[in-house]
């Protein structure tokens, strides 16, 4: 299968070939023809599967065809394609993919998010933008201020829809959708299609084609998942042991709270392991600097709260560690998707103490299998973690 045979032009196909994409991934093979045909789409696909290119490439194709066919001139303050993402990091990442993929085309794109001065963003909108990638809050602000109009919008993409709902963006999304023209193409991407995502899709999307590659691992090489049961008081010692004994070159370590993150960094440092942390309490500039240093390998151990890590795309991330298991099983799937991205293999390790048993049951039920357990002699466990019940239903979801 080639990008050309999916219906993409020579220009776009050769750009992706230059980026080293030798063949489309599973999601790309399924999504590109549907999007080119103009149909609505609901796609279950995790990060790491090549999902961004699966919607960006066909949208670029359609926009560039119109540009050359009709000499289409965009009016000021108008956008043709709107991509909504849950976080500024993801917005920037998606926009940077668009810039890469559209190198040979005359297509403009921009990322728009909160937390920074709105004036330059307003200025950039004055001449219109073909593809706008935005977080819901800032987008709505701009629309309220009449810095942006949607009457020329042709397509809406909801990227990581489950995450946007988890982060409480539903009202903003609904308000945005109310402002959009009725005739448009709708694309929804989500790691998991939960009942809430389905409800959102029902309101937004008509007659969509549904595709799922969530359980297909062909495009995503092996993620080696394992866990160690450990007494809570031994967690940081166990983590230090794993880092040192297994000579880990890099790890993204997830932890629940920002206080916990700071404490863990100092515990690691006491054992001679250099580490950094990112969490919602750090400024955007510092978070970006730390991420860049982690990406370049200058920082090797990065401790992060779940929220701060959203949208992180580090090519070839070797390993993620759940120092704390996430409260939601879907979040676990998201986290492990940060490693083993297209073209690389990765490892996902969880440190599980007895009080995490519920979360473990929910995660293993979601996966449909138990995670391999490894034990280390130096860390005998006093409070044993039982084997999970695989049809576990969280209390709030029981009928
Ligand atoms: P995503 O799932 O969109 O976060 O993409 C994950 C990674 O896969 C990104 O770093 C892309 O550059 C890369 N990628 C996307 N499509 C392909 C492809 N067809 N072949 C190889 N790598 C790809």
């Amino acid at each position: 299968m080639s990008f050309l045979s999916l219906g993409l032009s020579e220009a776009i196909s050769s750009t992706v070939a230059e980026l080293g994409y030798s063949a489309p991934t599973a999601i790309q093979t399924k999504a590109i023809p549907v999007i080119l045909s103009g149909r609505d789409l609901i796609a279950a696909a995790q990060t790491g599967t090549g999902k961004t290119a699966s919607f960006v490439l066909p949208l670029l194709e359609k926009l560039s065809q119109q540009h050359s066919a009709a000499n289409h001139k965009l009016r000021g303050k108008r956008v043709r394609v709107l991509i909504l993402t849950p976080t500024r990091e993801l917005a920037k990442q998606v926009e940077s993919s668009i810039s890469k993929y559209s190198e040979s085309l005359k297509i403009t794109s921009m990322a728009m998010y909160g937390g920074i001065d709105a004036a330059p963003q307003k200025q950039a909108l004055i001449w219109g933008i073909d593809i706008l990638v935005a977080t819901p809050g800032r987008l709505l602000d701009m629309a309220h201020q009449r810095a942006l109009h949607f009457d020329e919008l042709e397509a809406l993409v909801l990227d990581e829809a489950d995450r946007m709902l988890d982060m409480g963006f539903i009202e903003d999304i609904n308000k945005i959708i109310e402002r959009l023209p009725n005739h448009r193409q709708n694309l929804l991407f989500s790691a998991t299609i939960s009942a809430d995502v389905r409800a959102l899709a029902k309101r937004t999307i008509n007659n969509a084609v549904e595709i799922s590659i969530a359980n297909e691992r062909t495009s995503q090489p092996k993620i080696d998942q394992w866990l160690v049961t450990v007494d809570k008081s031994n967690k940081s010692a166990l983590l230090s042991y794993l880092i040192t004994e297994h000579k880990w070159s890099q790890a993204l370590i997830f932890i629940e709270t920002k206080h916990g993150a700071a404490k863990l960094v100092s515990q690691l440092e006491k054992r001679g392991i250099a580490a950094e942390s990112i969490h919602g309490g750090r400024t955007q500039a510092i978070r970006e600097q730390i991420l860049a240093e982690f990406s370049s390998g200058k920082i090797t151990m990065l401790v992060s709260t779940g929220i701060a890590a959203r949208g992180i795309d580090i090519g070839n991330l070797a390993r993620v560690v759940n120092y704390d298991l996430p409260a939601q099983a879907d979040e676990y799937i998201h986290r492990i998707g940060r490693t083993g991205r297209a073209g690389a293999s990765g490892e996902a390790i969880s440190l599980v103490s007895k009080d995490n048993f519920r979360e473990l049951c929910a995660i293993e039920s979601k996966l449909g299998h138990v995670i391999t357990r490894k034990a280390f002699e130096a860390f005998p466990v006093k409070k044993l973690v039982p084997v999970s019940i695989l049809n576990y239903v969280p209390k709030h979801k029981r009928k």
Side-chain angles (χ1 to χ4, degrees):
M1 186 65 72
S2 71
F3 286 100
L4 268 179
S5 66
L6 293 176
L8 295 173
S9 64
E10 186 67 51
I12 293 182
S13 304
S14 58
T15 304
V16 291
E18 274 163 31
L19 291 171
Y21 299 1
S22 50
T25 63
I27 181 75
Q28 292 161 2
T29 305
K30 288 188 178 174
I32 291 173
V34 176
I35 300 174
L36 286 175
S37 79
R39 300 237 4 221
D40 280 6
L41 176 73
I42 298 174
Q46 300 164 25
T47 19
T49 55
K51 72 172 168 66
T52 313
S54 82
F55 60 84
V56 170
L57 299 178
L59 288 170
L60 285 174
E61 185 68 53
K62 295 180 84 180
L63 290 178
S64 59
Q65 280 171 12
Q66 287 167 6
H67 273 281
S68 47
N71 199 12
H72 199 122
K73 193 136 175 34
L74 191 63
R75 283 156 63 209
K77 301 187 184 177
R78 301 309 195 271
V79 289
R80 275 198 189 123
V81 172
L82 172 63
I83 301 171
L84 288 180
T85 68
T87 61
R88 49 192 159 197
E89 283 81 8
L90 186 61
K92 284 202 281 191
Q93 188 187 308
V94 170
E95 198 281 326
S96 98
S97 299
I98 298 171
S99 302
K100 272 194 305 196
Y101 302 146
S102 63
E103 218 171 65
S104 65
L105 311 169
K106 285 195 187 104
I107 298 234
T108 52
S109 59
M110 166 185 171
M112 200 172 81
Y113 41 83
I116 56 166
D117 185 10
Q121 297 179 349
K122 260 191 207 169
Q123 187 63 30
L125 285 169
I126 285 202
W127 303 109
I129 292 281
D130 289 311
I131 308 183
L132 181 65
V133 191
T135 52
R138 176 55 62 96
L139 181 83
L140 207 52
D141 277 354
M142 289 290 192
H144 283 147
Q145 294 177 39
R146 306 193 148 270
L148 175 65
H149 303 284
F150 298 111
D151 51 342
E152 293 196 18
L153 189 94
E154 292 160 30
L156 168 71
V157 183
L158 300 172
D159 191 16
E160 301 203 356
D162 50 351
R163 196 130 297 277
M164 288 200 278
L165 297 181
D166 285 351
M167 292 174 75
F169 284 135
I170 185 67
E171 280 185 24
D172 284 353
I173 294 174
N174 284 336
K175 283 183 197 155
I176 292 164
I177 288 171
E178 273 171 27
R179 291 173 168 261
L180 306 183
N182 288 334
H183 184 72
R184 57 170 200 268
Q185 186 174 21
N186 299 293
L187 312 174
L188 181 150
F189 286 78
S190 196
T192 49
I193 309 288
S194 62
D196 288 344
V197 171
R198 211 159 265 296
L200 170 67
K202 213 171 157 191
R203 281 196 304 278
T204 325
I205 300 186
N206 300 315
N207 220 344
V209 176
E210 269 198 57
I211 57 181
S212 169
I213 55 118
N215 296 320
E216 289 178 25
R217 293 253 164 239
T218 46
S219 63
Q220 207 177 346
K222 242 172 84 49
I223 298 175
D224 189 14
Q225 294 179 62
W226 50 276
L227 65 80
V228 195
T229 61
V230 59
D231 291 327
K232 211 172 174 182
S233 54
N234 269 343
K235 269 193 181 179
S236 75
L238 171 64
L239 178 64
S240 308
Y241 171 86
L242 292 173
I243 293 172
T244 319
E245 289 295 309
H246 292 205
K247 301 190 171 55
W248 284 357
S249 55
Q250 183 195 43
L252 176 59
I253 301 155
F254 288 99
I255 197 160
E256 275 315 288
T257 63
K258 68 178 181 201
H259 172 71
K263 188 168 156 201
L264 180 58
V265 167
S266 79
Q267 284 167 327
L268 291 174
E269 281 174 346
K270 271 190 204 134
R271 296 191 177 94
I273 299 164
E276 257 297 351
S277 69
I278 52 168
H279 47 71
R282 307 200 90 163
T283 65
Q284 170 77 355
I286 290 185
R287 280 162 58 182
E288 276 173 20
Q289 191 190 338
I290 291 176
L291 282 178
E293 288 181 6
F294 184 56
S295 218
S296 71
K298 196 167 163 206
I299 294 172
T300 53
M301 299 296 143
L302 181 61
V303 180
S304 172
T305 56
I307 298 230
R310 280 174 190 165
I312 291 184
D313 181 18
I314 312 275
N316 295 328
L317 180 57
R319 174 177 304 101
V320 296
V321 177
N322 290 304
Y323 188 82
D324 291 326
L325 279 184
Q328 305 291 335
D330 289 350
E331 175 71 20
Y332 176 86
I333 309 266
H334 259 282
R335 287 184 186 177
I336 68 168
R338 308 263 168 235
T339 179
R341 297 219 156 177
S345 63
E347 198 177 28
I349 300 130
S350 301
L351 310 190
V352 183
S353 55
K354 186 156 187 272
D355 57 335
N356 300 137
F357 181 59
R358 266 163 203 261
E359 290 87 9
L360 182 66
C361 286
I363 290 164
E364 293 185 326
S365 299
K366 181 105 204 166
L367 293 171
H369 60 81
V370 294
I371 301 168
T372 307
R373 294 186 181 205
K374 291 189 186 175
F376 296 91
E377 255 175 47
F379 296 88
V381 184
K382 290 199 198 89
K383 293 186 177 173
L384 297 177
V385 183
V387 173
S388 295
I389 312 148
L390 275 188
N391 55 0
Y392 178 80
V393 180
K395 218 172 184 174
H396 67 280
K397 290 200 174 153
R398 285 179 208 156
K399 290 204 176 112

